[in-house]
Amino acid sequence: MHKMNSANLINYRPGDPTIWNGRVDGTTPDLFRWHQVVSMIDLRDDQSLDGAFVLLGFCCDEGVRRNLGRIGAKRGPEALRKVLAGLPVHFDSSVRLLDAGDVICEGEFLEECQASLTIAVNKIIRSGGFPILLGGGHEITFPHFLGIQQATGQSVGIINLDAHLDIRPLVEGKGNSGTGFYQIAEYCEGKEIDFKYLAIGIQDISNTKALFNFAHSKSVQIFHVKELHEQRIGKIIDEIIAFGRSVDSVYLTVDLDVFSAAYAPGVSAPAYRGIVPDINFDLLFSTILELPNLRSVDVAELNPAFDIDNRTAKLAADLLFKVLQK
């Protein structure tokens, strides 16, 4: 079992069992719901996480505020856990589901919060776990990537399901929810490692030409939302598989604004004509989940303040439900 110093894991609170409650249909495994099988852990403890899916909240929307978006994503992890708690257990009894709690952004100290998230992700992976991060704003990407890269020391390719490229330059030297991939590109250049970025669901209306030009200069692979139809889905799936084979580890990040606002109204920046979560999307998503080197997943930008009937939270929960079937 690997041990590491967690002294710098600040702005952190371990898993809270009082969050996990709901309907009880019985006490036999075929009647279980997630709240009956999830266990709480404290990442400051040294422990084996072998074979476990480890939930970790990122309670932060400071990056959204800096990016002039609709704040409220800080409450996303709490809203998502409430939906996850009631999901029926369809995963194998050998699977461990753990809740490691939250990394919390206090005030405007985004960079401190991101540093803690990097440490937490690093520790989960080095302890044998599979991180599932619950956002929080999309400023989650840079620290999440760093945690994976530093834990593995390998090449990490990022698949981003998003309406936006999130590759804006820093503003006055500070990051925000739209700069994550710019920061990752800069990090990779400094370390002389490949910047591998596959963006799916991108919309022209959500990105300037300058952002596309910069992305092309960094060899970013882009599939626009208008390409996600029956005639093109086979080609996109082939590209996803090839992308997975070109790197050691794959990190999947889902910005929920990639979906049409009809399905995902509760986000920081809703997309009018985003992805429809239909059979084509299911094929695409299942292809990503079946990549043998998929190492970590997050969902970002869930903003409960603008959700309708928990529609967005339930869509996010459906994605994570599928992750645990992998």
Side-chain angles (χ1 to χ4, degrees):
M1 181 170 61
H2 179 84
K3 291 188 175 183
M4 65 178 294
N5 186 353
S6 300
N8 294 323
L9 189 57
I10 58 176
N11 300 329
Y12 168 73
R13 116 186 120 199
D16 178 2
T18 65
I19 297 174
W20 292 90
N21 54 65
R23 178 187 180 119
V24 175
D25 294 316
T27 56
T28 56
D30 59 336
L31 294 173
F32 281 165
R33 296 179 183 273
W34 283 28
H35 70 87
Q36 292 173 277
V37 299
V38 66
S39 298
M40 305 301 116
I41 62 169
D42 186 334
L43 285 177
R44 293 167 297 192
D45 298 334
D46 288 318
Q47 57 203 307
S48 171
L49 303 177
D50 283 346
F53 290 99
V54 183
L55 304 174
L56 178 66
F58 180 64
C59 301
C60 177
D61 54 17
E62 170 60 14
V64 176
R65 187 194 69 79
R66 293 182 186 179
N67 200 24
L68 307 180
R70 306 191 300 184
I71 61 172
K74 188 173 186 175
R75 302 295 299 272
E78 177 186 0
L80 185 47
R81 280 191 180 93
K82 287 181 179 177
V83 178
L84 294 175
L87 296 182
V89 173
H90 280 253
F91 47 81
D92 189 87
S93 59
S94 63
V95 172
R96 288 197 297 159
L97 177 61
L98 307 176
D99 185 353
D102 298 303
V103 173
I104 304 161
C105 182
E106 302 289 352
E108 299 180 2
F109 298 103
L110 171 61
E111 286 72 21
E112 285 186 5
C113 177
Q114 290 178 313
S116 286
L117 191 73
T118 295
I119 293 169
V121 171
N122 187 331
K123 183 159 188 176
I124 292 170
I125 292 175
R126 298 184 76 159
S127 299
F130 185 99
I132 298 178
L133 272 55
L134 318 176
H138 215 192
E139 57 268 33
I140 198 172
T141 51
F142 184 43
H144 192 167
F145 169 84
L146 289 181
I148 301 167
Q149 205 281 322
Q150 293 173 5
T152 63
Q154 298 177 328
S155 61
V156 179
I158 314 128
I159 299 178
N160 180 30
L161 305 184
D162 199 339
H164 308 88
L165 288 163
D166 285 352
I167 202 163
R168 296 174 179 274
L170 304 186
V171 178
E172 298 179 349
K174 294 184 176 180
N176 59 51
S177 62
T179 63
F181 293 93
Y182 179 90
Q183 292 171 283
I184 294 171
E186 292 283 291
Y187 173 86
C188 290
E189 184 174 338
K191 294 290 184 181
E192 297 183 340
I193 57 179
D194 289 339
F195 173 54
K196 299 286 290 187
Y197 175 18
L198 172 60
I200 300 174
I202 298 300
Q203 297 193 41
D204 288 347
I205 200 171
S206 301
N207 301 274
T208 63
K209 286 185 176 179
L211 294 177
F212 280 107
N213 291 339
F214 183 75
H216 291 316
S217 76
K218 296 295 182 182
S219 301
V220 177
Q221 295 174 252
I222 299 172
F223 287 104
H224 292 72
V225 67
K226 60 189 177 186
E227 297 181 80
L228 302 183
H229 53 74
E230 186 175 353
Q231 288 72 32
R232 285 280 294 163
I233 198 67
K235 169 67 174 175
I236 296 173
I237 285 174
D238 288 344
E239 291 292 332
I240 290 171
I241 293 171
F243 182 82
R245 289 173 176 166
S246 72
V247 295
D248 295 313
S249 298
V250 173
Y251 155 36
L252 169 64
T253 179
V254 183
D255 185 326
L256 292 165
D257 71 21
V258 75
F259 295 104
S260 166
Y263 299 91
V267 295
S268 305
Y272 169 60
R273 302 190 66 171
I275 289 178
V276 173
D278 60 6
I279 184 64
N280 290 319
F281 174 76
D282 287 345
L283 288 170
L284 181 154
F285 194 66
S286 63
T287 299
I288 298 171
L289 297 187
E290 289 168 7
L291 293 174
N293 53 346
L294 179 64
R295 186 58 71 100
S296 195
V297 171
D298 67 47
V299 291
E301 297 286 348
L302 171 60
N303 187 335
F306 294 95
D307 210 357
I308 300 173
D309 296 331
N310 289 326
R311 199 178 299 170
T312 317
K314 289 180 178 178
L315 175 55
D318 178 71
L319 301 178
L320 299 185
F321 183 82
K322 291 180 171 66
V323 171
L324 263 71
Q325 312 307 312
K326 73 189 276 327

